[in-house]
mmCIF file of all heavy atoms in Angstrom:
data_model
loop_
_atom_site.group_PDB
_atom_site.id
_atom_site.type_symbol
_atom_site.label_atom_id
_atom_site.label_comp_id
_atom_site.label_asym_id
_atom_site.label_seq_id
_atom_site.Cartn_x
_atom_site.Cartn_y
_atom_site.Cartn_z
ATOM 1 N N VAL A 12 34.056 -2.236 3.343
ATOM 2 C CA VAL A 12 33.373 -1.858 2.112
ATOM 3 C C VAL A 12 32.677 -0.515 2.285
ATOM 4 O O VAL A 12 32.734 0.368 1.427
ATOM 5 C CB VAL A 12 32.398 -2.950 1.653
ATOM 6 C CG1 VAL A 12 31.493 -2.450 0.540
ATOM 7 C CG2 VAL A 12 33.163 -4.186 1.218
ATOM 8 N N LEU A 13 32.004 -0.334 3.401
ATOM 9 C CA LEU A 13 31.267 0.921 3.648
ATOM 10 C C LEU A 13 32.229 2.092 3.810
ATOM 11 O O LEU A 13 31.964 3.212 3.308
ATOM 12 C CB LEU A 13 30.389 0.812 4.889
ATOM 13 C CG LEU A 13 28.949 0.355 4.702
ATOM 14 C CD1 LEU A 13 28.111 1.445 4.040
ATOM 15 C CD2 LEU A 13 28.849 -0.962 3.950
ATOM 16 N N ASP A 14 33.358 1.885 4.466
ATOM 17 C CA ASP A 14 34.295 2.970 4.699
ATOM 18 C C ASP A 14 34.937 3.461 3.411
ATOM 19 O O ASP A 14 35.103 4.699 3.193
ATOM 20 C CB ASP A 14 35.384 2.563 5.680
ATOM 21 C CG ASP A 14 36.132 3.766 6.277
ATOM 22 O OD1 ASP A 14 35.622 4.897 6.206
ATOM 23 O OD2 ASP A 14 37.241 3.567 6.791
ATOM 24 N N ILE A 15 35.265 2.569 2.511
ATOM 25 C CA ILE A 15 35.878 2.965 1.236
ATOM 26 C C ILE A 15 34.830 3.480 0.250
ATOM 27 O O ILE A 15 34.964 4.564 -0.266
ATOM 28 C CB ILE A 15 36.682 1.786 0.609
ATOM 29 C CG1 ILE A 15 37.897 1.457 1.501
ATOM 30 C CG2 ILE A 15 37.122 2.146 -0.804
ATOM 31 C CD1 ILE A 15 38.651 0.229 1.072
ATOM 32 N N SER A 16 33.763 2.708 0.070
ATOM 33 C CA SER A 16 32.816 3.003 -0.996
ATOM 34 C C SER A 16 31.863 4.135 -0.669
ATOM 35 O O SER A 16 31.516 4.929 -1.573
ATOM 36 C CB SER A 16 32.004 1.752 -1.356
ATOM 37 O OG SER A 16 32.897 0.709 -1.813
ATOM 38 N N LEU A 17 31.445 4.235 0.582
ATOM 39 C CA LEU A 17 30.476 5.280 0.976
ATOM 40 C C LEU A 17 31.133 6.428 1.743
ATOM 41 O O LEU A 17 31.106 7.589 1.314
ATOM 42 C CB LEU A 17 29.322 4.681 1.770
ATOM 43 C CG LEU A 17 28.273 5.703 2.314
ATOM 44 C CD1 LEU A 17 27.689 6.529 1.182
ATOM 45 C CD2 LEU A 17 27.197 4.971 3.085
ATOM 46 N N THR A 18 31.742 6.082 2.869
ATOM 47 C CA THR A 18 32.336 7.148 3.672
ATOM 48 C C THR A 18 33.502 7.817 2.942
ATOM 49 O O THR A 18 33.695 9.025 3.060
ATOM 50 C CB THR A 18 32.773 6.615 5.038
ATOM 51 O OG1 THR A 18 31.699 5.862 5.630
ATOM 52 C CG2 THR A 18 33.151 7.772 5.956
ATOM 53 N N GLY A 19 34.270 7.037 2.177
ATOM 54 C CA GLY A 19 35.321 7.622 1.373
ATOM 55 C C GLY A 19 34.787 8.612 0.344
ATOM 56 O O GLY A 19 35.386 9.677 0.122
ATOM 57 N N THR A 20 33.672 8.279 -0.264
ATOM 58 C CA THR A 20 33.062 9.207 -1.212
ATOM 59 C C THR A 20 32.604 10.470 -0.493
ATOM 60 O O THR A 20 32.788 11.581 -0.944
ATOM 61 C CB THR A 20 31.883 8.527 -1.920
ATOM 62 O OG1 THR A 20 32.347 7.350 -2.606
ATOM 63 C CG2 THR A 20 31.201 9.452 -2.905
ATOM 64 N N PHE A 21 31.998 10.309 0.701
ATOM 65 C CA PHE A 21 31.609 11.456 1.513
ATOM 66 C C PHE A 21 32.790 12.354 1.814
ATOM 67 O O PHE A 21 32.663 13.602 1.694
ATOM 68 C CB PHE A 21 30.973 10.963 2.812
ATOM 69 C CG PHE A 21 31.057 11.949 3.950
ATOM 70 C CD1 PHE A 21 30.329 13.128 3.979
ATOM 71 C CD2 PHE A 21 31.948 11.699 5.032
ATOM 72 C CE1 PHE A 21 30.444 14.038 5.026
ATOM 73 C CE2 PHE A 21 32.080 12.603 6.056
ATOM 74 C CZ PHE A 21 31.305 13.776 6.035
ATOM 75 N N ARG A 22 33.934 11.777 2.225
ATOM 76 C CA ARG A 22 35.099 12.576 2.545
ATOM 77 C C ARG A 22 35.517 13.425 1.321
ATOM 78 O O ARG A 22 35.915 14.608 1.470
ATOM 79 C CB ARG A 22 36.275 11.694 2.979
ATOM 80 C CG ARG A 22 36.041 10.989 4.334
ATOM 81 C CD ARG A 22 37.258 10.232 4.768
ATOM 82 N NE ARG A 22 36.979 9.468 5.966
ATOM 83 C CZ ARG A 22 36.726 8.173 5.979
ATOM 84 N NH1 ARG A 22 36.717 7.473 4.873
ATOM 85 N NH2 ARG A 22 36.448 7.551 7.129
ATOM 86 N N CYS A 23 35.473 12.804 0.153
ATOM 87 C CA CYS A 23 35.899 13.513 -1.055
ATOM 88 C C CYS A 23 34.896 14.566 -1.474
ATOM 89 O O CYS A 23 35.313 15.665 -1.906
ATOM 90 C CB CYS A 23 36.107 12.509 -2.180
ATOM 91 S SG CYS A 23 37.540 11.394 -1.935
ATOM 92 N N VAL A 24 33.618 14.288 -1.333
ATOM 93 C CA VAL A 24 32.607 15.294 -1.633
ATOM 94 C C VAL A 24 32.756 16.494 -0.722
ATOM 95 O O VAL A 24 32.710 17.656 -1.167
ATOM 96 C CB VAL A 24 31.176 14.689 -1.517
ATOM 97 C CG1 VAL A 24 30.104 15.799 -1.608
ATOM 98 C CG2 VAL A 24 30.926 13.640 -2.613
ATOM 99 N N ARG A 25 32.938 16.221 0.549
ATOM 100 C CA ARG A 25 33.084 17.315 1.528
ATOM 101 C C ARG A 25 34.322 18.148 1.215
ATOM 102 O O ARG A 25 34.258 19.387 1.199
ATOM 103 C CB ARG A 25 33.191 16.718 2.953
ATOM 104 C CG ARG A 25 33.386 17.760 4.037
ATOM 105 C CD ARG A 25 33.442 17.157 5.412
ATOM 106 N NE ARG A 25 34.523 16.175 5.536
ATOM 107 C CZ ARG A 25 34.692 15.385 6.587
ATOM 108 N NH1 ARG A 25 33.823 15.385 7.581
ATOM 109 N NH2 ARG A 25 35.696 14.537 6.628
ATOM 110 N N ALA A 26 35.456 17.493 1.006
ATOM 111 C CA ALA A 26 36.711 18.203 0.797
ATOM 112 C C ALA A 26 36.626 19.039 -0.488
ATOM 113 O O ALA A 26 37.052 20.203 -0.528
ATOM 114 C CB ALA A 26 37.891 17.242 0.722
ATOM 115 N N ALA A 27 36.128 18.469 -1.568
ATOM 116 C CA ALA A 27 36.016 19.201 -2.816
ATOM 117 C C ALA A 27 35.010 20.328 -2.697
ATOM 118 O O ALA A 27 35.265 21.472 -3.150
ATOM 119 C CB ALA A 27 35.613 18.258 -3.943
ATOM 120 N N GLY A 28 33.886 20.054 -2.075
ATOM 121 C CA GLY A 28 32.886 21.121 -1.886
ATOM 122 C C GLY A 28 33.409 22.286 -1.076
ATOM 123 O O GLY A 28 33.148 23.449 -1.414
ATOM 124 N N GLN A 29 34.147 21.991 -0.018
ATOM 125 C CA GLN A 29 34.677 23.086 0.791
ATOM 126 C C GLN A 29 35.619 23.987 0.001
ATOM 127 O O GLN A 29 35.594 25.206 0.104
ATOM 128 C CB GLN A 29 35.444 22.486 2.015
ATOM 129 C CG GLN A 29 34.509 21.876 3.062
ATOM 130 C CD GLN A 29 35.258 21.133 4.145
ATOM 131 O OE1 GLN A 29 36.432 20.748 3.947
ATOM 132 N NE2 GLN A 29 34.597 20.901 5.287
ATOM 133 N N ARG A 30 36.480 23.329 -0.817
ATOM 134 C CA ARG A 30 37.442 24.133 -1.587
ATOM 135 C C ARG A 30 36.734 24.918 -2.699
ATOM 136 O O ARG A 30 37.118 26.055 -2.997
ATOM 137 C CB ARG A 30 38.506 23.206 -2.163
ATOM 138 C CG ARG A 30 39.544 22.821 -1.087
ATOM 139 C CD ARG A 30 40.283 21.568 -1.427
ATOM 140 N NE ARG A 30 41.280 21.256 -0.417
ATOM 141 C CZ ARG A 30 41.022 20.759 0.792
ATOM 142 N NH1 ARG A 30 39.768 20.504 1.115
ATOM 143 N NH2 ARG A 30 41.970 20.492 1.644
ATOM 144 N N MET A 31 35.743 24.319 -3.336
ATOM 145 C CA MET A 31 35.017 25.043 -4.375
ATOM 146 C C MET A 31 34.294 26.254 -3.817
ATOM 147 O O MET A 31 34.304 27.340 -4.365
ATOM 148 C CB MET A 31 34.012 24.114 -5.045
ATOM 149 C CG MET A 31 34.672 23.036 -5.917
ATOM 150 S SD MET A 31 33.412 21.844 -6.523
ATOM 151 C CE MET A 31 34.457 20.674 -7.430
ATOM 152 N N VAL A 32 33.646 26.084 -2.655
ATOM 153 C CA VAL A 32 32.933 27.178 -1.998
ATOM 154 C C VAL A 32 33.898 28.273 -1.627
ATOM 155 O O VAL A 32 33.697 29.471 -1.880
ATOM 156 C CB VAL A 32 32.137 26.697 -0.776
ATOM 157 C CG1 VAL A 32 31.603 27.873 0.002
ATOM 158 C CG2 VAL A 32 30.977 25.790 -1.254
ATOM 159 N N ALA A 33 35.050 27.912 -1.015
ATOM 160 C CA ALA A 33 36.017 28.902 -0.588
ATOM 161 C C ALA A 33 36.574 29.687 -1.765
ATOM 162 O O ALA A 33 36.884 30.910 -1.616
ATOM 163 C CB ALA A 33 37.163 28.206 0.163
ATOM 164 N N ALA A 34 36.732 29.036 -2.905
ATOM 165 C CA ALA A 34 37.291 29.686 -4.081
ATOM 166 C C ALA A 34 36.215 30.391 -4.915
ATOM 167 O O ALA A 34 36.551 31.046 -5.914
ATOM 168 C CB ALA A 34 38.024 28.696 -4.952
ATOM 169 N N GLY A 35 34.954 30.203 -4.554
ATOM 170 C CA GLY A 35 33.884 30.771 -5.364
ATOM 171 C C GLY A 35 33.701 30.112 -6.687
ATOM 172 O O GLY A 35 33.192 30.744 -7.657
ATOM 173 N N LYS A 36 34.068 28.820 -6.765
ATOM 174 C CA LYS A 36 33.968 28.111 -8.031
ATOM 175 C C LYS A 36 32.612 27.373 -8.168
ATOM 176 O O LYS A 36 32.183 26.721 -7.242
ATOM 177 C CB LYS A 36 35.101 27.092 -8.156
ATOM 178 C CG LYS A 36 36.477 27.683 -8.396
ATOM 179 C CD LYS A 36 37.458 26.620 -8.800
ATOM 180 C CE LYS A 36 38.784 27.207 -9.202
ATOM 181 N NZ LYS A 36 39.692 26.236 -9.824
ATOM 182 N N LYS A 37 32.031 27.484 -9.328
ATOM 183 C CA LYS A 37 30.813 26.716 -9.626
ATOM 184 C C LYS A 37 31.232 25.378 -10.202
ATOM 185 O O LYS A 37 31.111 25.141 -11.418
ATOM 186 C CB LYS A 37 29.901 27.510 -10.555
ATOM 187 C CG LYS A 37 29.438 28.860 -9.983
ATOM 188 C CD LYS A 37 28.519 29.555 -10.929
ATOM 189 C CE LYS A 37 28.171 30.949 -10.424
ATOM 190 N NZ LYS A 37 27.526 30.951 -9.093
#
């Protein structure tokens, strides 16, 4: 439950954040 609901959310926040920062997207 923790890996999907919490850590999975973390993985997606990190991945999306990295791409947005790299592209200069707000």
Side-chain angles (χ1 to χ4, degrees):
V12 170
L13 268 289
D14 196 19
I15 293 174
S16 300
L17 176 55
T18 310
T20 301
F21 154 72
R22 292 185 185 100
C23 291
V24 170
R25 178 179 60 189
Q29 288 172 342
R30 283 159 178 76
M31 289 173 183
V32 170
K36 288 194 174 189
K37 299 183 185 301

